[in-house]
């Protein structure tokens, strides 16, 4: 509380929200509601000094409520808001809780590379890494001739003309009509850049195109900084497995990237992943560790972020604290994928629910299916395991039934999938079969295969999307609001 008698009162009176000030006064018992003490700056011995002024007319954060959509446009200033400040403190607490959980259990922290040549998920949605230069581009394959640009109408007319010539030929028509049709077809071919080539000309053209392609590939290879195509990693898992198979339990925690164009509240192009790997572990050890980790995180936030949880409960999600208590104190529900499909199909047949997407064995569970299990049926995190092999990645261990893999997902209320993990395929012949089934190249994964060829170790691991974990612990519904500077299709500012 600054009174007119304080030194510097006039200077502070001209300032509004956002100014940076230094105040010297006396801490006294507060007469206002909601706080125990306040700083009194009332006499000439007390002072206030403006360190950084603000023009209230142009300051983007006026003293009023702003939409979260607007705050994303000023991501450099939004940490000054109560919401982002609270999210940031919870995010920091979760990062500390993550390291404590794994360090206390003897896991080694491994720094895995951000630049990689391997596609962990086999989905191909990766960002290519290339060196920038003076605007020079790698050579592209070129055609033997430059065809003029043709409109869609011209191309359609050419196809119709070809059909007309074919019909006249089949009918045995000769004379002016046939000659006119041939002339029109030739005219449209010229317009569209289509040429009638002799076999010799066609062979020459194919040779020229092949030579151009080979030249472009050589030029591209010469431009590759790493000597081969390189990408921003989608996961540190494959790399951290190397250390797991040598040193035992390990984990990595860092940024990952995916070139998805998904414009949803649950996807980012740049996000953080926590990825532990455990030696001599199976799918059940994997589920036990993942559940213990999530419960540890919920307990930590309940114990250390009380004021921020009160804010979130009041402003964001009134059920947040109770949900975190349930996660921290109650065991998770566990069921196989087959059981989950049967439960969902029964709910449909009983008329309890209608889904947009089909529920059938062999199909992936959609967000609406996951939410029904966690939010409406069991009201708690649910672990679904033993998925059909065609729904999962190549490195997941094939079960004895030959149809499913030892994979698991942890589904959480309000979030959906939070954790994805599996027992890894430690048998070389089975790994090679899965790589071939998914159309991948074993040569690209020679080093990963070596782990199975030389002293293979049964092991398991999982990945946790850190931003989704922050969403779980704050109640914030859009993933773009739980990371300092969100990156997604069409947006990379700040």
């Amino acid at each position: 509380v600054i009174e007119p008698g304080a030194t510097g009162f006039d200077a502070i009176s001209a300032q509004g929200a956002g100014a940076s000030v230094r105040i010297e006064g006396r801490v006294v018992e507060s007469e206002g509601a909601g706080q125990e003490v306040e700083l009194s700056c009332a006499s000439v011995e007390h002072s206030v000094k403006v360190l950084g002024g603000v023009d209230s007319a142009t300051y983007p954060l006026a003293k009023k409520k702003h939409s979260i959509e607007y705050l994303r446009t000023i991501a450099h200033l939004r940490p000054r808001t109560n919401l982002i400040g609270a999210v940031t403190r919870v995010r920091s607490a979760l990062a500390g809780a993550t390291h404590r959980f794994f360090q206390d259990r003897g896991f080694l922290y491994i720094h895995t590379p951000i630049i990689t040549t391997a596609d962990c998920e086999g989905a191909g949605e990766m960002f290519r890494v290339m060196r920038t230069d003076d605007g020079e581009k790698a050579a592209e394959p070129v055609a033997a001739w430059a065809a003029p640009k043709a409109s869609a109408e011209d191309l359609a007319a050419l196809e119709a003309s070809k059909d007309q010539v074919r019909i006249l030929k089949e009918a045995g028509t000769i004379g002016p009509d046939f000659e006119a049709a041939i002339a029109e077809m030739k005219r449209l071919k010229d317009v569209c850049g289509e040429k009638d080539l002799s076999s010799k000309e066609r062979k020459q053209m194919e040779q020229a195109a092949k030579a151009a392609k080979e030249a472009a590939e050589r030029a591209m290879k010469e431009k590759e900084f790493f000597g081969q195509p390189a990408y921003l990693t989608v996961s540190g898992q494959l790399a951290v497995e190397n250390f797991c198979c040598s040193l035992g339990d390990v984990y990595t925690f860092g940024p990952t990237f995916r070139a998805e164009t998904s414009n949803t509240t649950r996807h980012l192009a740049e996000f953080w992943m926590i990825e532990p790997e455990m030696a001599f572990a199976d799918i059940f050890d994997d589920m036990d560790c993942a559940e213990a980790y999530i419960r540890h995180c919920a307990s930590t936030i309940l114990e250390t972020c009380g004021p921020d949880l009160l804010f979130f409960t009041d402003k964001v999600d009134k059920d947040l604290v109770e949900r975190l208590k349930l996660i921290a104190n109650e065991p998770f529900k566990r069921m196989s994928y087959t059981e989950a499909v049967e439960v969902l199909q029964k709910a449909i047949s009983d008329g309890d629910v209608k889904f947009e997407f089909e529920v059938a064995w062999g199909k992936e569970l959609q967000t609406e299916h996951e939410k029904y299990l966690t939010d409406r049926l069991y009201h708690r995190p649910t672990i679904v395991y033993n998925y059909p092999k065609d729904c999962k990645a190549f490195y997941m261990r094939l079960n004895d039934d030959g149809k499913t893999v030892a994979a698991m997902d942890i589904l959480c209320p309000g979030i959906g999938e939070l954790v994805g993990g599996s027992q890894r395929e430690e048998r070389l012949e089975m790994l090679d079969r899965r790589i071939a089934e998914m159309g991948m190249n074993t040569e690209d994964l020679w080093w990963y295969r070596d782990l199975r060829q030389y002293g293979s170790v049964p092991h398991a691991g999982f990945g946790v999307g850190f931003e989704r974990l922050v969403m779980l612990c704050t109640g914030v519904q859009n993933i773009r609001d739980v990371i300092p500077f969100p990156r997604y299709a069409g947006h990379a500012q700040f």
Side-chain angles (χ1 to χ4, degrees), residues 329-350:
N329 300 319
E330 298 293 332
F332 294 2
K333 171 70 178 177
R334 297 189 184 189
M335 63 194 316
S336 70
Y337 167 87
T338 300
E339 291 172 322
V341 169
E342 291 172 351
V343 166
L344 292 168
Q345 289 177 333
K346 185 177 186 302
I348 295 171
S349 63
D350 290 346

Side-chain angles (χ1 to χ4, degrees), residues 90-110:
V90 170
R91 185 181 175 104
S92 177
L94 286 171
T98 295
H99 288 294
R100 282 192 299 274
F101 177 87
F102 291 110
Q103 294 285 333
D104 290 349
R105 287 160 177 77
F107 284 67
L108 298 179
Y109 179 33
I110 308 299

Side-chain angles (χ1 to χ4, degrees), residues 145-386:
W145 74 91
K149 292 183 178 179
S151 67
E153 292 79 6
D154 289 335
L155 292 171
L158 175 58
E159 291 305 311
S161 175
K162 290 179 179 179
D163 288 341
Q164 179 65 17
V165 170
R166 178 180 53 79
I167 292 170
L168 291 173
K169 278 185 177 181
E170 291 174 352
T173 303
I174 59 174
D177 290 343
F178 183 70
E179 292 175 357
I182 290 291
E184 177 64 9
M185 182 179 70
K186 288 181 176 179
R187 184 189 71 79
L188 288 169
K189 281 186 175 183
D190 288 338
V191 170
C192 296
E194 184 174 315
K195 294 187 178 292
D196 293 320
L197 301 175
S198 67
S199 58
K200 182 178 180 181
E201 290 173 326
R202 187 170 297 281
K203 186 176 181 179
Q204 290 174 339
M205 183 194 74
E206 290 172 353
Q207 290 175 340
K210 181 180 179 181
K213 180 180 179 181
E214 291 173 350
E217 290 174 349
R218 286 194 301 271
M220 182 66 76
K221 190 171 183 179
E222 290 172 0
K223 280 180 65 69
E224 293 291 357
F225 184 85
F226 300 100
Q228 64 185 111
Y231 309 89
L232 297 180
T233 184
V234 299
S235 170
Q237 177 207 314
L238 299 189
V240 83
E241 279 190 57
N242 291 263
F243 284 80
C244 173
C245 293
S246 299
L247 301 174
D249 296 348
V250 294
Y251 74 104
T252 185
F253 180 13
T256 54
F257 308 85
R258 192 159 299 178
E260 286 184 307
T261 55
S262 301
N263 189 24
T264 74
T265 59
R266 301 170 64 225
H267 292 90
L268 289 169
E270 178 184 20
F271 52 98
W272 285 63
M273 289 288 290
I274 302 128
E275 298 175 287
E277 288 289 326
M278 297 167 286
F280 306 105
D282 61 19
I283 185 63
F284 298 101
D285 299 318
D286 204 34
M287 290 190 284
D288 290 344
C289 182
E291 177 175 343
Y293 168 67
I294 299 302
R295 294 176 65 176
H296 168 79
C297 288
S299 296
T300 298
I301 298 306
L302 287 168
E303 293 168 3
T304 63
C305 297
D308 291 320
L309 287 179
L310 290 177
F311 170 81
F312 289 125
T313 302
D314 181 46
K315 303 293 185 182
V316 179
D317 182 353
K318 62 182 179 62
D319 299 321
L320 175 63
V321 171
E322 290 305 313
R323 187 163 60 250
L324 289 178
K325 287 180 178 178
L326 185 148
I327 292 171
N329 300 319
E330 298 293 332
F332 294 2
K333 171 70 178 177
R334 297 189 184 189
M335 63 194 316
S336 70
Y337 167 87
T338 300
E339 291 172 322
V341 169
E342 291 172 351
V343 166
L344 292 168
Q345 289 177 333
K346 185 177 186 302
I348 295 171
S349 63
D350 290 346
D352 294 337
V353 65
K354 290 183 179 180
F355 295 121
E356 178 182 354
F357 294 96
E358 180 186 10
V359 177
W361 201 98
K363 292 182 176 291
E364 293 190 30
L365 297 181
Q366 301 296 320
T367 300
E368 59 179 347
H369 307 147
E370 297 170 348
K371 286 188 175 181
Y372 178 80
L373 294 173
T374 58
D375 295 25
R376 291 185 54 184
L377 193 59
Y378 300 120
H379 303 287
R380 68 181 64 195
T382 301
I383 304 179
V384 179
Y385 60 94
N386 287 347

